[in-house]
Every structure is written in structure tokens, then in C-alpha cells.
Amino acid sequence: YAPELPRPPSDAQVGALHPTASLHDGGWLELGASEWLADKHILADYALLAQDLQRDNPDLAARTRLVDPLVALYHLRLGAEILALRAFQRIVHDQNGDDTADFLFVPVSNAQPDRPGDHWSLLLVDRRVRESPVAYHYDSARGYNDQPAAEFAARLGARLEPARMAQQPNSYDCGVFMVDGTRALVRRLAQGYQPAVLHLDNLVADRQALQNRLRG
């Protein structure tokens, strides 16, 4: 489950995470044993993953976007149509202005303008066929985030498809499942698997490993 996402992002934050995105000090990113993940934890872990992907598989890195959770919420899902369109264009286009984004990883929060969110899930958007993108929804509390996932898919013009994911055993690890699911899916894409067959039935979320990554 997830705490409130407290602030809309500035325009400068809109877009894909850059592999050299700076991380904050370890104290700021400290994550307790049963603490809900905040957008800062997800953003930091996505930045680390982007760095690893750029180093290990630059071709896939060039075709993959790990979306800032605040951009996803305040721009893509809850923002006005024109704001959502601008954010989307900045996410999918590279520094040369070319749309190179085959895969989008979008953190899904069920927050509303007047209500903080309490759950994270994940969309993997397969855009290899630009005219008919597919959004695969991974939710560690099955059904909990169906509505916000549908809203995201509609905004992205994508067909929404459910994907299987291991279910969280407690009330606080949804964010860990989300970031670890992202990492698992990126590994599978790097191995040449197709998104349509990428289920996460056997995913084991590892909070300790995430804590270690965030501490550096």
C-alpha cells in the first residue's frame, strides 16, 4: 500500500528517467521494515535500474521508459488532456525527437485529487506496434487497482490486459512487488521474451534487497 503522493511534478521532471538521475542521500531514502513505499523510493529504484540497463543492455535501454510515479499520476492520469499529451510526448521521444519507446513501465496509484492513494500496481505498456499498444496490468492485490489501471490505459490509447502476479502476503508490500516486478520484467525482456507471455506468478518481493539498493 502507498502513502499520499504529496506534490505535482514540475515541468522539468516530466519524461523518462535519465540513467544519470541523481539519488538522494541514504537517510532520505531510508525504508522501514513495514513502511509503505513513497514515490521517492520508486523514483530512486527506477533510477538505479535505468543505470543498470544502460550499462548492460543499451539497446533495450533506448527503447524502455521507466516513468516517474508523480508524472504518471498528476500528468498522465489526472492531468488535463493537453497536459497528459505533452507529458506523453516527452516520455516517448528521445533527445533527438524520435519516438523510440517500445516499452513503458508505469507505476499505478489509486490516488484521487481529493484523496491520497493506498495501493501501487504496475502497467507494462507494449508499444512496439504504435497503432495498437497493449497495457499489461500487474497487481499484487488482484482487482484493487482495476479502475486506475483502466484510466491509465484509456489515456494511453492502449488495450488493457490483466497479467498474473504473485499476491502480497501483507498490507504494506505492494510497492515492493511493483518495483521488483519491474525489474523481473526488464530481465525477461532482455532475454527476448514477449510481453504477452510475461506473468509474474512466482515473483518473490525482497524488501531487504530494496533497502540495500536504496542505502547504496
Side-chain angles (χ1 to χ4, degrees), residues 6-72:
R7 65 196 185 284
S10 67
D11 286 344
Q13 291 174 280
V14 178
L17 286 172
H18 192 275
T20 59
S22 61
L23 302 181
H24 296 268
D25 63 90
W28 189 76
L29 290 172
E30 193 68 31
L31 180 66
S34 59
E35 183 181 353
W36 293 351
L37 262 67
D39 56 273
K40 64 181 181 181
H41 301 114
I42 295 169
L43 187 63
D45 201 52
Y46 268 17
L48 291 170
L49 177 56
Q51 292 170 5
D52 293 343
L53 187 58
Q54 183 63 47
R55 181 192 65 231
D56 299 335
N57 195 328
D59 175 69
L60 181 59
R63 299 186 296 122
T64 299
R65 305 291 189 270
L66 305 169
V67 180
D68 181 324
L70 292 182
V71 172

Side-chain angles (χ1 to χ4, degrees), residues 70-118:
L70 292 182
V71 172
L73 175 65
Y74 289 114
H75 288 252
L76 293 182
R77 181 172 149 241
L78 298 180
E81 289 285 349
I82 187 63
L83 186 64
L85 178 60
R86 288 173 180 167
F88 177 75
Q89 294 296 326
R90 294 181 67 174
I91 288 169
V92 301
H93 288 89
D94 65 14
Q95 59 187 5
N96 297 317
D98 299 320
D99 181 352
T100 58
D102 287 344
F103 305 111
L104 308 181
F105 287 89
V106 183
V108 176
S109 166
N110 63 347
Q112 298 293 334
D114 59 348
R115 178 178 60 80
D118 63 1

Side-chain angles (χ1 to χ4, degrees), residues 107-146:
V108 176
S109 166
N110 63 347
Q112 298 293 334
D114 59 348
R115 178 178 60 80
D118 63 1
H119 188 58
W120 294 109
S121 59
L122 174 68
L123 280 184
L124 165 55
V125 184
D126 180 0
R127 301 182 64 247
R128 288 174 300 164
V129 180
R130 296 291 191 267
E131 297 77 18
S132 54
V134 183
Y136 298 96
H137 186 215
Y138 298 84
D139 194 341
S140 61
R142 190 176 296 110
Y144 202 98
N145 263 4
D146 284 357

